[in-house]
């Protein structure tokens, strides 16, 4: 069956530009998560959606970062005025509702800010 | 608040010898605990999870982990390492608020 998909797989942008990253979760999964994995560092939690609402936005690093989810499905992570320190792999995961459910990860979007 | 500490950033073992990847956690609530593996240029894959049932959890590829509440630990073990086990391993704690906290990862190297 189809897993979590993310697009684009790679994105190179100039400093100061805005970027949008897209995540398509597994059909029927109500929970969706965004993480960031920087070179040499672990995974950093960014935001969590349950349905279309985001009960936990505590991981967003600054007000340049925002995310939305529509129709309980697709999510977009937007980074405005990108900085070089935003360069990382952005991972999306989805799960059935509930704390014990396994998260299924997408392949990630590798963002490079020049 | 919750946190995860993976005690070793790198572990190197010889093929056929046991593997131990250590993880300690802290959580204000009864957590769920997970181990994920990430092979080079591949996505994250779940190895196993603890969800307040049996304290000894068996996962894929011969891995196991034991939840020890008194030690706040969830160490990952495998009796005999295989070359294909070389990867990065992440310990994760998750509470009912939905937030997952990942450890910094342990890179496992398997020598022939």
């Amino acid at each position: 069956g189809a897993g979590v998909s993310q697009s684009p797989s790679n994105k190179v942008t100039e400093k100061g530009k805005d970027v949008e990253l897209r995540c398509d979760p597994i059909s029927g999964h109500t929970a969706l998560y965004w993480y960031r994995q920087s070179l040499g560092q672990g995974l950093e939690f960014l935001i969590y959606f349950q349905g279309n609402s985001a009960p936990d936005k505590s991981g967003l690093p600054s007000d340049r970062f925002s995310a939305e989810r529509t129709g309980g499905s697709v999510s977009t992570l937007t980074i405005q005025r990108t900085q070089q320190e935003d360069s990382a792999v952005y991972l999306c995961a989805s799960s059935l509702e509930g704390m014990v459910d396994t998260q299924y990860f997408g392949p990630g979007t590798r963002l490079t800010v020049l | 608040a919750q946190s995860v500490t993976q005690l070793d950033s790198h572990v190197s073992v010889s093929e056929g010898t046991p593997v131990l990847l250590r993880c300690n956690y802290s959580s204000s609530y009864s957590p769920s605990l997970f181990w994920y593996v990430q092979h080079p240029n591949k996505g994250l894959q779940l190895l196993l999870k603890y969800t307040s049932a049996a304290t000894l959890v068996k996962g894929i590829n011969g891995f196991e982990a034991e939840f020890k509440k008194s030690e706040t630990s969830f160490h990952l073990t495998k009796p005999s390492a295989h070359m294909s086990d070389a990867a990065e391993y992440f310990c994760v704690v998750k509470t009912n608020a939905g937030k997952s906290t990942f450890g910094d990862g342990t890179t496992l190297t398997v020598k022939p």
Side-chain angles (χ1 to χ4, degrees), chain B residues 1-111:
Chain B
Q2 60 192 42
S3 66
V4 177
T5 303
Q6 290 184 240
L7 297 164
D8 307 292
S9 58
H10 289 87
V11 170
S12 181
V13 300
S14 297
E15 190 174 21
T17 64
V19 176
L20 170 64
L21 305 183
R22 298 182 294 165
C23 173
N24 285 99
Y25 71 92
S26 68
S27 175
S28 302
Y29 305 95
S30 296
S32 290
L33 294 159
F34 304 76
W35 275 99
Y36 285 85
V37 60
Q38 187 175 32
H39 287 92
N41 300 313
K42 296 281 183 68
L44 283 155
Q45 181 184 19
L46 178 72
L47 274 180
L48 48 81
K49 65 181 180 182
Y50 165 76
T51 59
S52 76
T55 56
L56 180 63
V57 182
K58 295 185 185 295
I60 61 171
N61 300 336
F63 283 93
E64 293 182 348
E66 186 171 6
F67 173 68
K68 292 186 177 180
K69 187 174 181 179
S70 60
E71 299 177 10
T72 60
S73 69
F74 191 56
H75 301 333
L76 182 70
T77 61
K78 183 173 180 177
S80 176
H82 192 272
M83 296 297 291
S84 62
D85 294 328
E88 189 158 18
Y89 292 78
F90 294 93
C91 181
V92 183
V93 61
K94 186 178 177 188
T95 68
N96 57 6
K99 179 175 179 176
S100 291
T101 301
F102 281 69
D104 289 337
T106 298
T107 300
L108 176 64
T109 302
V110 182
K111 298 175 288 187

